[in-house]
Amino acid sequence: MGSLTFHDEACGFEAVRRPEHVPCVRPPDLCKAIACMPPYLLQYLDPHHAALFSFPSLDAMQKLRVQSTEICTLDLSFRGDYAVLGTHDARIHLFATSTGLPVVTYTLPSSPSTAIALVEPSRWGNSAIDAPPLVLAATADMLVRAAALPGEAPVR
C-alpha cells in the first residue's frame, strides 16, 4: 500500500501536501499511477477504483468505480471534463469530473488499451463545435484506434 505525497524543492524536499490518506496499491504494468489536468488529479487506487482530487489543493472529490474487469490505464481528458478509465475487458469508461458519475462506456473492437486520450469538442471563435468527444486508444495488440464516441455529445 502507498499514498500520494508532494515534496517541494524550495522546502528542502520536505512533504508539503498530501491528500486525505487514501491508500493505494501499485498499478499494473504500463498503467499510470496518477494523471493531472488542472484543476483535477486522478489517482489509481486498486484494480476497480480511482480517486479524483482537486488540484493543487488535493481535496478528495470523488471515488470512481468500474464494475467490469480491472483498470489497465487511466487519464484525464484534454480539458479535464472527463476521467477516462480503460479496463482489461477492452472497455473505456468515461466519468464526469464535475460529478464523478459515469457518462458512457465504449467497447474497443480488439484488445485492452495500454494508453488512452480523450479530446472534447472545442470552441472556435464564438461558436461551439457540435461533435462528440474523440477517443484515441493504443491497444495491447499494438494498434492505435481513433473513434468519435457514439451518441450525442455529452453536455458540459
Side-chain angles (χ1 to χ4, degrees):
M1 291 283 192
S3 63
L4 183 65
T5 303
F6 284 84
H7 298 265
D8 190 341
E9 182 179 6
C11 297
F13 292 102
E14 293 294 321
V16 293
R17 266 185 277 163
R18 70 175 47 123
E20 179 180 318
H21 184 68
V22 179
C24 58
V25 299
R26 182 184 182 107
D29 290 342
L30 303 177
C31 181
K32 296 178 181 181
I34 62 170
C36 187
M37 181 58 66
Y40 302 106
L41 183 136
L42 184 64
Q43 179 186 10
Y44 178 92
L45 294 180
D46 63 46
H48 293 280
H49 296 92
L52 187 65
F53 297 95
S54 61
F55 185 81
S57 66
L58 300 180
D59 295 326
M61 296 177 64
Q62 309 290 340
K63 189 173 185 180
L64 311 178
R65 175 175 165 64
V66 292
Q67 304 216 4
S68 60
T69 61
E70 295 84 16
I71 296 169
C72 60
T73 186
L74 60 81
D75 212 340
L76 288 163
S77 64
F78 183 71
R79 289 195 325 227
D81 292 341
Y82 302 98
V84 188
L85 304 178
T87 53
H88 282 291
D89 58 359
R91 293 183 184 177
I92 296 174
H93 306 268
L94 268 64
F95 294 84
T97 52
S98 59
T99 63
L101 296 174
V103 175
V104 68
T105 296
Y106 176 71
T107 303
L108 294 169
S110 63
S111 61
S113 57
T114 55
I116 48 180
L118 178 75
V119 180
E120 302 98 328
S122 188
R123 297 189 181 280
W124 296 95
N126 293 328
S127 61
I129 295 175
D130 185 25
L134 177 68
V135 67
L136 302 168
T139 56
D141 56 4
M142 299 175 23
L143 296 173
V144 175
R145 305 227 179 242
L149 292 177
E152 296 179 17
V155 178
R156 183 171 177 189

